[in-house]
Amino acid sequence: MLNIAVFCYGVKRAVDMAYKLAEANEASGTLGPLIHNPQLIEDLNTKGVPCRESLDEFQAGETVVFSLAWSWP
Protein backbone atom coordinates (compact mmCIF):
# COMPACT_ATOMS: atom_id res chain seq x y z
CA MET A 1 0.00 0.00 0.00
CA LEU A 2 1.29 3.43 -0.93
CA ASN A 3 1.37 5.92 1.96
CA ILE A 4 1.10 9.51 0.74
CA ALA A 5 0.21 12.60 2.74
CA VAL A 6 -0.76 15.66 0.74
CA PHE A 7 -1.13 19.00 2.49
CA CYS A 8 -2.64 22.08 0.92
CA TYR A 9 -0.20 24.96 0.48
CA GLY A 10 -1.30 26.84 3.63
CA VAL A 11 -1.03 23.81 5.89
CA LYS A 12 2.31 22.75 4.39
CA ARG A 13 3.69 26.24 4.90
CA ALA A 14 2.54 26.38 8.54
CA VAL A 15 3.89 22.88 9.28
CA ASP A 16 7.24 23.74 7.66
CA MET A 17 7.44 26.95 9.72
CA ALA A 18 6.70 25.04 12.93
CA TYR A 19 9.45 22.49 12.23
CA LYS A 20 11.95 25.27 11.42
CA LEU A 21 11.15 26.94 14.74
CA ALA A 22 11.62 23.61 16.51
CA GLU A 23 15.01 23.09 14.84
CA ALA A 24 16.08 26.59 15.90
CA ASN A 25 14.84 26.01 19.48
CA GLU A 26 12.78 29.18 19.26
CA ALA A 27 10.01 29.66 21.80
CA SER A 28 6.85 29.00 19.82
CA GLY A 29 3.57 27.15 19.64
CA THR A 30 0.65 26.61 17.34
CA LEU A 31 -2.69 28.31 17.79
CA GLY A 32 -4.92 25.28 17.54
CA PRO A 33 -3.89 22.23 15.56
CA LEU A 34 -2.33 22.97 12.17
CA ILE A 35 -3.82 19.84 10.66
CA HIS A 36 -6.17 16.98 11.63
CA ASN A 37 -3.25 14.63 12.26
CA PRO A 38 -2.65 13.77 15.93
CA GLN A 39 0.72 12.14 15.19
CA LEU A 40 2.06 15.31 13.57
CA ILE A 41 0.70 17.49 16.39
CA GLU A 42 2.33 15.20 18.97
CA ASP A 43 5.61 15.20 17.04
CA LEU A 44 5.68 19.01 17.06
CA ASN A 45 4.86 18.98 20.77
CA THR A 46 7.77 16.65 21.57
CA LYS A 47 10.03 18.94 19.53
CA GLY A 48 9.01 21.96 21.62
CA VAL A 49 6.16 23.41 19.54
CA PRO A 50 3.03 22.76 21.62
CA CYS A 51 -0.53 23.18 20.39
CA ARG A 52 -2.32 25.87 22.37
CA GLU A 53 -5.98 26.76 22.33
CA SER A 54 -5.76 30.48 23.07
CA LEU A 55 -3.42 33.42 22.54
CA ASP A 56 -3.57 33.88 26.32
CA GLU A 57 -1.45 30.73 26.64
CA PHE A 58 1.53 32.34 24.86
CA GLN A 59 4.26 34.29 26.62
CA ALA A 60 5.53 37.64 25.37
CA GLY A 61 8.09 37.07 22.61
CA GLU A 62 6.91 33.59 21.62
CA THR A 63 6.16 32.94 17.96
CA VAL A 64 2.57 31.96 17.16
CA VAL A 65 2.13 29.59 14.20
CA PHE A 66 -1.35 29.18 12.75
CA SER A 67 -3.03 28.24 9.53
CA LEU A 68 -6.07 29.80 7.93
CA ALA A 69 -6.26 26.91 5.47
CA TRP A 70 -9.17 25.32 7.31
CA SER A 71 -11.75 26.60 9.75
CA TRP A 72 -11.19 26.43 13.48
CA PRO A 73 -13.92 27.25 16.00
Side-chain angles (χ1 to χ4, degrees):
M1 174 188 257
L2 186 59
N3 238 345
I4 297 176
V6 179
F7 301 158
C8 71
Y9 174 77
V11 169
K12 181 178 180 338
R13 183 169 180 255
V15 169
D16 288 347
M17 287 174 149
Y19 276 112
K20 285 179 185 174
L21 289 165
E23 288 174 12
N25 285 328
E26 289 194 36
S28 61
T30 67
L31 181 58
L34 297 178
I35 190 169
H36 296 293
N37 181 323
Q39 293 85 7
L40 186 141
I41 300 305
E42 181 58 29
D43 188 51
L44 285 172
N45 187 54
T46 61
K47 290 176 171 34
V49 184
C51 177
R52 298 184 178 140
E53 298 301 316
S54 167
L55 287 174
D56 295 332
E57 297 177 44
F58 288 86
Q59 300 296 316
E62 284 186 302
T63 301
V64 179
V65 182
F66 63 96
S67 174
L68 298 176
W70 57 278
S71 62
W72 181 58

Coordinates of all heavy atoms in Angstrom, one line a residue:
M1 N 0.8 -1.2 0.0 CA 0.0 0.0 0.0 C 0.9 1.3 0.0 O 1.9 1.3 0.7 CB -0.9 0.0 1.2 CG -1.7 1.3 1.4 SD -2.6 1.3 2.9 CE -4.2 1.0 2.3
L2 N 0.6 2.2 -0.8 CA 1.3 3.4 -0.9 C 0.8 4.4 0.1 O -0.4 4.6 0.3 CB 1.1 4.0 -2.3 CG 1.9 5.3 -2.7 CD1 3.4 5.0 -2.6 CD2 1.5 5.7 -4.1
N3 N 1.7 5.0 0.9 CA 1.4 5.9 2.0 C 1.8 7.3 1.5 O 3.0 7.6 1.5 CB 2.1 5.6 3.2 CG 1.2 5.3 4.4 OD1 0.1 5.6 4.3 ND2 1.8 4.7 5.4
I4 N 0.8 8.2 1.2 CA 1.1 9.5 0.7 C 0.3 10.5 1.6 O -0.9 10.3 1.7 CB 0.8 9.7 -0.8 CG1 1.6 8.8 -1.6 CG2 1.0 11.1 -1.2 CD1 1.3 8.8 -3.1
A5 N 0.9 11.5 2.1 CA 0.2 12.6 2.7 C 0.3 13.9 1.9 O 1.4 14.2 1.5 CB 0.8 12.8 4.1
V6 N -0.8 14.4 1.6 CA -0.8 15.7 0.7 C -1.4 16.8 1.6 O -2.5 16.7 2.0 CB -1.5 15.5 -0.6 CG1 -1.5 16.7 -1.4 CG2 -1.0 14.3 -1.4
F7 N -0.6 17.8 1.8 CA -1.1 19.0 2.5 C -1.4 20.1 1.5 O -0.7 20.2 0.5 CB -0.1 19.6 3.5 CG 0.4 18.6 4.5 CD1 1.6 18.8 5.1 CD2 -0.3 17.5 4.9 CE1 2.1 18.0 6.1 CE2 0.1 16.7 5.9 CZ 1.4 16.9 6.5
C8 N -2.4 20.9 1.8 CA -2.6 22.1 0.9 C -1.5 23.0 1.2 O -0.8 22.9 2.2 CB -4.0 22.7 1.2 SG -4.1 23.5 2.8
Y9 N -1.3 24.0 0.4 CA -0.2 25.0 0.5 C -0.2 25.6 1.9 O 0.9 25.7 2.5 CB -0.3 26.0 -0.6 CG 0.8 27.1 -0.5 CD1 2.1 26.8 -0.8 CD2 0.5 28.3 0.1 CE1 3.1 27.8 -0.6 CE2 1.5 29.3 0.3 CZ 2.8 29.0 -0.1 OH 3.7 29.9 0.1
G10 N -1.3 26.1 2.3 CA -1.3 26.8 3.6 C -0.9 26.0 4.8 O -0.1 26.4 5.7
V11 N -1.4 24.7 4.8 CA -1.0 23.8 5.9 C 0.4 23.4 5.8 O 1.2 23.4 6.8 CB -1.9 22.6 5.9 CG1 -1.4 21.5 6.8 CG2 -3.4 22.9 6.2
K12 N 0.9 23.1 4.6 CA 2.3 22.7 4.4 C 3.2 23.9 4.9 O 4.2 23.6 5.5 CB 2.6 22.4 2.9 CG 4.0 22.0 2.7 CD 4.3 21.6 1.3 CE 5.7 21.2 1.0 NZ 6.8 21.6 1.9
R13 N 2.9 25.1 4.5 CA 3.7 26.2 4.9 C 3.7 26.4 6.4 O 4.8 26.6 7.0 CB 3.1 27.5 4.3 CG 3.9 28.7 4.5 CD 3.5 29.9 3.6 NE 4.2 31.1 3.9 CZ 3.8 32.1 4.6 NH1 2.6 32.1 5.1 NH2 4.6 33.1 4.8
A14 N 2.6 26.3 7.1 CA 2.5 26.4 8.5 C 3.3 25.2 9.2 O 4.1 25.5 10.2 CB 1.1 26.4 9.0
V15 N 3.2 24.0 8.7 CA 3.9 22.9 9.3 C 5.4 23.1 9.1 O 6.2 22.9 10.0 CB 3.4 21.6 8.7 CG1 4.3 20.4 9.0 CG2 2.0 21.3 9.1
D16 N 5.8 23.5 7.9 CA 7.2 23.7 7.7 C 7.8 24.8 8.6 O 8.9 24.7 9.1 CB 7.5 24.2 6.2 CG 7.3 23.0 5.2 OD1 7.2 21.9 5.6 OD2 7.2 23.3 4.0
M17 N 7.0 25.9 8.8 CA 7.4 26.9 9.7 C 7.6 26.4 11.1 O 8.6 26.7 11.8 CB 6.4 28.1 9.8 CG 6.4 28.9 8.5 SD 5.0 30.1 8.8 CE 5.6 31.5 7.9
A18 N 6.6 25.6 11.6 CA 6.7 25.0 12.9 C 7.9 24.2 13.1 O 8.6 24.3 14.1 CB 5.4 24.3 13.2
Y19 N 8.3 23.3 12.1 CA 9.4 22.5 12.2 C 10.7 23.3 12.2 O 11.7 23.0 12.9 CB 9.5 21.4 11.1 CG 8.6 20.2 11.5 CD1 7.5 19.9 10.9 CD2 9.0 19.4 12.6 CE1 6.7 18.8 11.2 CE2 8.3 18.3 12.9 CZ 7.1 18.0 12.3 OH 6.4 16.9 12.6
K20 N 10.8 24.4 11.4 CA 11.9 25.3 11.4 C 12.1 25.9 12.8 O 13.3 26.1 13.3 CB 11.8 26.3 10.3 CG 12.1 25.7 8.9 CD 11.9 26.8 7.9 CE 12.1 26.1 6.5 NZ 11.8 27.0 5.4
L21 N 11.1 26.4 13.4 CA 11.1 26.9 14.7 C 11.6 25.9 15.7 O 12.5 26.2 16.6 CB 9.8 27.5 15.2 CG 9.4 28.8 14.4 CD1 7.9 29.0 14.6 CD2 10.2 30.0 14.8
A22 N 11.2 24.7 15.6 CA 11.6 23.6 16.5 C 13.1 23.4 16.3 O 13.8 23.2 17.3 CB 10.8 22.3 16.2
E23 N 13.6 23.3 15.1 CA 15.0 23.1 14.8 C 15.9 24.2 15.4 O 17.0 24.0 15.9 CB 15.3 23.0 13.3 CG 14.7 21.7 12.7 CD 14.9 21.7 11.2 OE1 15.6 22.5 10.6 OE2 14.3 20.8 10.6
A24 N 15.3 25.4 15.4 CA 16.1 26.6 15.9 C 15.9 26.8 17.4 O 16.5 27.7 18.0 CB 15.6 27.8 15.2
N25 N 15.1 25.9 18.0 CA 14.8 26.0 19.5 C 14.3 27.4 19.9 O 14.5 27.9 20.9 CB 16.1 25.7 20.3 CG 16.4 24.3 20.4 OD1 15.6 23.4 20.3 ND2 17.7 24.0 20.4
E26 N 13.4 27.9 19.0 CA 12.8 29.2 19.3 C 11.5 28.9 20.0 O 10.8 28.0 19.8 CB 12.5 29.9 18.0 CG 13.7 30.5 17.3 CD 13.3 31.5 16.2 OE1 12.4 32.2 16.4 OE2 14.0 31.5 15.2
A27 N 11.2 29.8 21.0 CA 10.0 29.7 21.8 C 8.8 29.9 20.9 O 8.7 31.0 20.3 CB 10.0 30.7 22.9
S28 N 8.0 28.9 20.8 CA 6.9 29.0 19.8 C 5.8 28.0 20.2 O 6.0 27.2 21.1 CB 7.3 28.7 18.4 OG 7.9 27.5 18.3
G29 N 4.7 28.1 19.5 CA 3.6 27.1 19.6 C 2.6 27.4 18.5 O 2.7 28.4 17.8
T30 N 1.7 26.4 18.4 CA 0.7 26.6 17.3 C -0.6 27.1 18.0 O -0.9 26.7 19.1 CB 0.4 25.3 16.6 OG1 -0.2 24.3 17.4 CG2 1.7 24.8 16.0
L31 N -1.4 27.9 17.3 CA -2.7 28.3 17.8 C -3.7 27.3 17.2 O -4.1 27.4 16.0 CB -3.0 29.7 17.4 CG -4.3 30.3 17.8 CD1 -4.4 30.3 19.4 CD2 -4.5 31.7 17.3
G32 N -4.1 26.4 18.0 CA -4.9 25.3 17.5 C -4.1 24.3 16.7 O -2.9 24.6 16.4
P33 N -4.6 23.2 16.4 CA -3.9 22.2 15.6 C -3.7 22.7 14.1 O -4.7 23.3 13.6 CB -4.8 21.0 15.6 CG -6.1 21.4 15.9 CD -6.0 22.7 16.8
L34 N -2.6 22.5 13.6 CA -2.3 23.0 12.2 C -3.0 22.1 11.2 O -3.3 22.5 10.0 CB -0.8 23.0 11.9 CG 0.0 24.0 12.7 CD1 1.5 23.8 12.3 CD2 -0.5 25.4 12.5
I35 N -3.3 20.8 11.6 CA -3.8 19.8 10.7 C -4.5 18.8 11.5 O -4.2 18.6 12.7 CB -2.7 19.2 9.8 CG1 -3.3 18.3 8.7 CG2 -1.7 18.5 10.6 CD1 -2.2 17.9 7.7
H36 N -5.5 18.1 10.9 CA -6.2 17.0 11.6 C -5.3 15.7 11.6 O -5.7 14.7 10.9 CB -7.5 16.7 11.0 CG -8.5 17.9 11.1 ND1 -9.0 18.3 12.3 CD2 -9.0 18.7 10.2 CE1 -9.8 19.3 12.1 NE2 -9.8 19.6 10.8
N37 N -4.2 15.8 12.2 CA -3.3 14.6 12.3 C -2.6 14.6 13.6 O -1.7 15.3 13.9 CB -2.2 14.8 11.2 CG -1.2 13.7 11.1 OD1 -0.8 13.1 12.1 ND2 -0.8 13.3 9.9
P38 N -3.2 13.8 14.6 CA -2.6 13.8 15.9 C -1.2 13.4 16.0 O -0.5 13.8 16.9 CB -3.5 12.8 16.7 CG -4.4 12.1 15.6 CD -4.3 12.9 14.4
Q39 N -0.7 12.5 15.1 CA 0.7 12.1 15.2 C 1.6 13.3 14.9 O 2.7 13.5 15.5 CB 1.0 11.0 14.2 CG 0.3 9.7 14.6 CD -1.1 9.6 14.1 OE1 -1.6 10.4 13.3 NE2 -1.8 8.5 14.5
L40 N 1.3 14.1 13.9 CA 2.1 15.3 13.6 C 2.0 16.3 14.7 O 3.0 16.9 15.1 CB 1.6 15.9 12.3 CG 2.4 17.1 11.8 CD1 2.5 17.0 10.3 CD2 1.9 18.4 12.2
I41 N 0.8 16.5 15.3 CA 0.7 17.5 16.4 C 1.6 17.0 17.6 O 2.2 17.8 18.2 CB -0.8 17.6 16.8 CG1 -1.6 18.2 15.6 CG2 -0.9 18.6 18.0 CD1 -1.1 19.4 15.0
E42 N 1.5 15.7 17.9 CA 2.3 15.2 19.0 C 3.8 15.3 18.7 O 4.6 15.6 19.6 CB 1.9 13.7 19.3 CG 2.7 13.1 20.4 CD 2.6 13.9 21.7 OE1 1.5 14.5 22.0 OE2 3.5 13.8 22.6
D43 N 4.2 15.1 17.4 CA 5.6 15.2 17.0 C 6.1 16.6 17.3 O 7.2 16.9 17.8 CB 5.8 14.8 15.6 CG 7.3 14.7 15.2 OD1 8.1 14.1 15.9 OD2 7.7 15.3 14.2
L44 N 5.3 17.6 16.8 CA 5.7 19.0 17.1 C 5.8 19.3 18.5 O 6.7 20.0 19.0 CB 4.7 20.0 16.4 CG 4.7 20.1 14.9 CD1 3.6 20.9 14.4 CD2 6.1 20.7 14.5
N45 N 4.8 18.8 19.3 CA 4.9 19.0 20.8 C 6.1 18.4 21.4 O 6.8 19.1 22.2 CB 3.6 18.3 21.4 CG 3.5 18.7 22.9 OD1 3.5 19.8 23.2 ND2 3.4 17.7 23.7
T46 N 6.5 17.2 21.0 CA 7.8 16.6 21.6 C 9.0 17.4 21.1 O 10.0 17.4 21.8 CB 7.9 15.2 21.2 OG1 8.0 15.0 19.8 CG2 6.8 14.3 21.7
K47 N 8.9 18.1 20.0 CA 10.0 18.9 19.5 C 10.0 20.4 20.1 O 10.8 21.2 19.7 CB 10.0 19.0 18.0 CG 10.4 17.6 17.4 CD 10.3 17.7 15.9 CE 10.9 16.5 15.2 NZ 10.8 15.2 15.7
G48 N 9.0 20.7 21.0 CA 9.0 22.0 21.6 C 8.1 23.0 21.0 O 8.1 24.2 21.3
V49 N 7.2 22.5 20.1 CA 6.2 23.4 19.5 C 4.8 22.9 19.9 O 4.2 22.1 19.2 CB 6.3 23.5 18.0 CG1 5.3 24.5 17.4 CG2 7.7 23.8 17.6
P50 N 4.3 23.3 21.1 CA 3.0 22.8 21.6 C 1.8 23.4 20.9 O 1.9 24.5 20.4 CB 3.0 23.1 23.1 CG 3.9 24.3 23.2 CD 4.9 24.2 22.1
C51 N 0.7 22.7 20.9 CA -0.5 23.2 20.4 C -1.3 23.9 21.5 O -1.5 23.2 22.6 CB -1.3 22.0 19.8 SG -3.0 22.5 19.2
R52 N -1.6 25.1 21.3 CA -2.3 25.9 22.4 C -3.7 26.3 21.8 O -3.8 26.5 20.6 CB -1.5 27.1 22.8 CG -0.1 26.6 23.4 CD 0.7 27.8 23.9 NE 1.9 27.3 24.5 CZ 3.0 27.9 24.3 NH1 3.1 29.0 23.6 NH2 4.1 27.4 24.9
E53 N -4.6 26.5 22.7 CA -6.0 26.8 22.3 C -6.3 28.2 22.4 O -7.4 28.6 21.9 CB -7.0 26.0 23.2 CG -6.8 24.5 23.1 CD -7.0 24.0 21.7 OE1 -8.0 24.4 21.1 OE2 -6.2 23.1 21.3
S54 N -5.4 29.1 22.9 CA -5.8 30.5 23.1 C -4.5 31.3 23.0 O -3.4 30.8 23.5 CB -6.5 30.7 24.4 OG -6.5 32.1 24.7
L55 N -4.6 32.5 22.5 CA -3.4 33.4 22.5 C -3.0 33.7 24.0 O -1.8 34.0 24.2 CB -3.8 34.7 21.8 CG -3.8 34.6 20.3 CD1 -4.3 35.9 19.7 CD2 -2.5 34.2 19.7
D56 N -3.9 33.6 24.9 CA -3.6 33.9 26.3 C -2.5 32.9 26.9 O -1.9 33.1 27.9 CB -4.8 33.8 27.2 CG -5.8 34.9 26.9 OD1 -5.4 36.0 26.4 OD2 -7.0 34.7 27.1
E57 N -2.4 31.8 26.2 CA -1.4 30.7 26.6 C 0.0 31.0 26.2 O 0.9 30.3 26.6 CB -1.9 29.4 26.1 CG -3.2 28.9 26.7 CD -3.7 27.6 26.1 OE1 -2.9 26.7 26.0 OE2 -4.9 27.5 25.8
F58 N 0.2 32.0 25.4 CA 1.5 32.3 24.9 C 2.2 33.4 25.8 O 1.5 34.3 26.3 CB 1.5 32.9 23.4 CG 1.1 31.8 22.4 CD1 -0.2 31.5 22.1 CD2 2.2 31.2 21.7 CE1 -0.5 30.5 21.2 CE2 1.9 30.2 20.8 CZ 0.6 29.8 20.5
Q59 N 3.5 33.3 25.9 CA 4.3 34.3 26.6 C 4.7 35.4 25.6 O 4.8 35.1 24.4 CB 5.5 33.6 27.3 CG 5.1 32.5 28.2 CD 4.4 33.0 29.4 OE1 4.7 34.0 30.0 NE2 3.3 32.3 29.8
A60 N 5.0 36.5 26.2 CA 5.5 37.6 25.4 C 6.8 37.2 24.7 O 7.7 36.5 25.3 CB 5.8 38.9 26.2
G61 N 6.9 37.4 23.4 CA 8.1 37.1 22.6 C 8.0 35.7 21.9 O 8.9 35.4 21.1
E62 N 7.0 34.9 22.3 CA 6.9 33.6 21.6 C 6.3 33.8 20.2 O 5.5 34.6 20.0 CB 6.0 32.6 22.4 CG 6.7 32.1 23.6 CD 5.8 31.0 24.3 OE1 4.7 31.4 24.7 OE2 6.2 29.9 24.4
T63 N 6.7 32.9 19.3 CA 6.2 32.9 18.0 C 4.9 32.1 17.9 O 4.9 31.0 18.4 CB 7.2 32.4 17.0 OG1 8.4 33.2 17.0 CG2 6.6 32.4 15.5
V64 N 3.8 32.7 17.3 CA 2.6 32.0 17.2 C 2.5 31.5 15.7 O 2.6 32.3 14.8 CB 1.4 32.9 17.5 CG1 0.1 32.2 17.3 CG2 1.5 33.5 18.9
V65 N 2.3 30.2 15.5 CA 2.1 29.6 14.2 C 0.7 29.2 14.1 O 0.1 28.5 15.0 CB 3.0 28.4 14.0 CG1 2.9 27.8 12.6 CG2 4.5 28.7 14.3
F66 N 0.0 29.6 13.0 CA -1.3 29.2 12.8 C -1.6 29.1 11.3 O -0.8 29.6 10.5 CB -2.3 30.1 13.4 CG -2.3 31.5 12.9 CD1 -3.2 31.9 11.9 CD2 -1.4 32.5 13.4 CE1 -3.2 33.2 11.4 CE2 -1.3 33.8 12.9 CZ -2.2 34.1 11.9
S67 N -2.7 28.4 10.9 CA -3.0 28.2 9.5 C -4.5 28.7 9.3 O -5.3 28.3 10.1 CB -2.8 26.8 9.1 OG -3.3 26.6 7.8
L68 N -4.7 29.4 8.3 CA -6.1 29.8 7.9 C -6.6 28.9 6.8 O -7.6 29.2 6.2 CB -6.1 31.3 7.5 CG -5.7 32.3 8.5 CD1 -5.7 33.7 7.9 CD2 -6.6 32.2 9.7
A69 N -5.9 27.8 6.6 CA -6.3 26.9 5.5 C -7.5 26.1 5.7 O -8.2 25.7 4.8 CB -5.1 26.0 5.2
W70 N -7.9 26.0 7.0 CA -9.2 25.3 7.3 C -9.8 26.0 8.5 O -9.1 26.7 9.3 CB -9.0 23.8 7.6 CG -8.0 23.5 8.6 CD1 -6.6 23.4 8.5 CD2 -8.3 23.1 10.0 NE1 -6.1 23.0 9.7 CE2 -7.1 22.9 10.6 CE3 -9.4 23.0 10.7 CZ2 -7.0 22.5 11.9 CZ3 -9.4 22.6 12.0 CH2 -8.1 22.4 12.6
S71 N -11.1 25.9 8.7 CA -11.8 26.6 9.7 C -11.5 26.0 11.1 O -11.3 24.8 11.2 CB -13.3 26.6 9.5 OG -13.7 25.3 9.5
W72 N -11.4 26.8 12.1 CA -11.2 26.4 13.5 C -12.2 27.2 14.3 O -12.2 28.4 14.2 CB -9.7 26.7 13.8 CG -9.3 26.3 15.2 CD1 -9.4 25.1 15.8 CD2 -8.8 27.2 16.2 NE1 -9.0 25.1 17.0 CE2 -8.6 26.4 17.4 CE3 -8.5 28.5 16.3 CZ2 -8.0 26.9 18.5 CZ3 -8.0 29.0 17.5 CH2 -7.8 28.2 18.6
P73 N -12.9 26.5 15.2 CA -13.9 27.3 16.0 C -13.3 28.2 17.0 O -12.2 28.1 17.4 CB -14.7 26.1 16.7 CG -13.9 24.9 16.6 CD -12.9 25.1 15.5

